Amino acid sequence: MILLMNIIIALVGFVGIIAARKLSRQTERMDLKNHFVILGIKVVFISAIVSIFYLSTEKNTHALLILTGLLNLIVFHFIEAFVTQKKLIKNRNLNV
């Protein structure tokens, strides 16, 4: 059950990576606002998935479901950040 949930969450994370990459290539500017919108959508979907699995499993696996779902979200969010970081840094025009 935990493996199935994490596979579904990984698919959601992969869709987020593809959406961020497409947005960064399509638009002239990849703002942090777009990045946060994608994160918010992923958090909502992943929370819903974890909640569905949370309700349908035994009590002794609830903490494991939440922790693995959160770890999966964090990993895919960092991968998404690495995919789009060049575009985000380029738009900020940092003068150091």
Side-chain angles (χ1 to χ4, degrees):
M1 199 65 134
I2 294 172
L3 183 63
L4 178 64
M5 181 196 74
N6 282 313
I7 290 171
I8 294 170
I9 291 174
L11 291 174
V12 170
F14 188 67
V15 168
I17 291 170
I18 292 172
R21 190 171 188 175
K22 189 172 184 176
L23 258 174
S24 68
R25 285 184 180 171
Q26 220 174 34
T27 61
E28 183 72 25
R29 294 183 45 168
M30 175 69 179
D31 293 57
L32 280 175
K33 185 177 94 176
N34 295 339
H35 191 70
F36 287 132
V37 167
I38 292 171
L39 175 65
I41 292 170
K42 282 194 311 187
V43 166
V44 167
F45 277 112
I46 290 173
S47 297
I49 292 167
V50 170
S51 298
I52 290 169
F53 280 92
Y54 184 89
L55 294 173
S56 64
T57 60
E58 300 90 33
K59 190 172 184 155
N60 58 354
T61 60
H62 288 174
L64 192 59
L65 284 172
I66 294 169
L67 289 174
T68 58
L70 182 62
L71 180 67
N72 212 334
L73 171 70
I74 291 169
V75 166
F76 278 99
H77 186 67
F78 276 109
I79 292 171
E80 177 188 328
F82 286 126
V83 167
T84 61
Q85 76 179 349
K86 213 182 280 186
K87 194 78 164 179
L88 287 171
I89 291 172
K90 188 179 197 182
N91 289 335
R92 290 183 70 191
N93 295 326
L94 296 175
N95 294 324
V96 180

